[in-house]
Amino acid sequence: ALWTVGMAPDTSVVSSFFLMAWPDKHLFFSDCGVVPEPSSEQLADIAWSAAENYRRLVGDEPQLAFLSFSTRGSAAHPSVDRVRTAYDRFHAKHPNVAADGELQFDAAFVPEVARRKAPDSPLTGTANVMIFPDLNAGNIAYKIAQRLGGATAIGPILQGLAKPYCDLSRGCTAEDIVLVAAITSLMSD
């Protein structure tokens, strides 16, 4: 992809997202397929690419959660600091995009938990774009949501490139190929 289409001019990293679809909702999970241990700067760029793609594909405003095992300082660790710094970088560049971090998944997604753990969060437990701290967390989460949660996992869809470009997981089905092709065509302006 880097050799054939090149990087987008406004990003420092190529990453991916999965469109996770259930009958009554859809979420973006990013990055679940490319960057093993993103820096804070890369996480902020991954989040921006995911937000732009969410707008383009879903037609709704993204609400980004920078995920961690900590919510708003409930734990101290260098990986928590990296997520918090990524959120701060993102917010400084894109203050009009609804985002928050560091948040545990339940504080990002469950309104009752958000009211308790992050009462002043602009997301109020309604995040629709989940930014994972690393590839381990993202890849594991999308497979759990797919296999146990019954989600249709469409992707990985690459982002951060000059043109739409997609990948398919080993063992994909014919339906997976059709869905990824449809997403790719929707991403083409």
Side-chain angles (χ1 to χ4, degrees):
L2 288 172
W3 295 333
T4 57
V5 301
M7 296 243 337
D10 58 345
T11 188
S12 67
V13 65
V14 173
S15 60
S16 72
F17 69 87
F18 273 84
L19 170 57
M20 305 300 293
W22 289 266
D24 61 337
K25 65 184 163 293
H26 50 271
L27 303 173
F28 271 29
F29 282 14
S30 190
D31 174 24
C32 300
V34 180
V35 186
E37 293 181 14
S39 67
S40 293
E41 180 182 354
Q42 289 173 322
L43 274 175
D45 279 354
I46 288 166
W48 177 246
S49 293
E52 288 293 288
N53 283 317
Y54 188 87
R55 272 191 196 101
R56 179 181 294 136
L57 293 173
V58 177
D60 198 4
E61 285 303 305
Q63 296 193 61
L64 283 80
F66 286 77
L67 298 177
S68 176
F69 64 86
S70 171
T71 294
R72 300 281 186 82
S74 66
H77 189 271
S79 66
V80 174
D81 296 338
R82 185 171 44 85
V83 171
R84 190 176 306 122
T85 300
Y87 165 73
D88 290 342
R89 285 176 177 266
F90 179 87
H91 185 66
K93 284 183 171 179
H94 313 287
N96 296 325
V97 177
D100 200 5
E102 89 276 8
L103 294 173
Q104 292 168 298
F105 180 83
D106 57 352
F109 189 71
V110 181
E112 301 80 40
V113 176
R115 281 192 291 276
R116 201 173 55 244
K117 288 185 173 183
D120 60 339
S121 174
L123 302 180
T124 64
T126 59
N128 51 29
V129 179
M130 306 300 174
I131 306 301
F132 290 91
D134 60 40
L135 192 57
N136 273 323
N139 192 272
I140 291 166
Y142 105 76
K143 290 183 183 213
I144 289 173
Q146 179 185 31
R147 302 299 181 183
L148 289 178
T152 299
I154 304 168
I157 310 297
L158 297 181
Q159 55 188 10
L161 294 165
K163 296 183 179 189
Y165 198 100
C166 297
D167 186 18
L168 290 165
S169 297
R170 289 183 306 274
C172 69
T173 65
E175 181 181 4
D176 294 333
I177 295 168
V178 170
L179 291 171
V180 167
I183 294 289
T184 305
S185 69
L186 290 170
M187 291 176 68
S188 300
D189 293 320

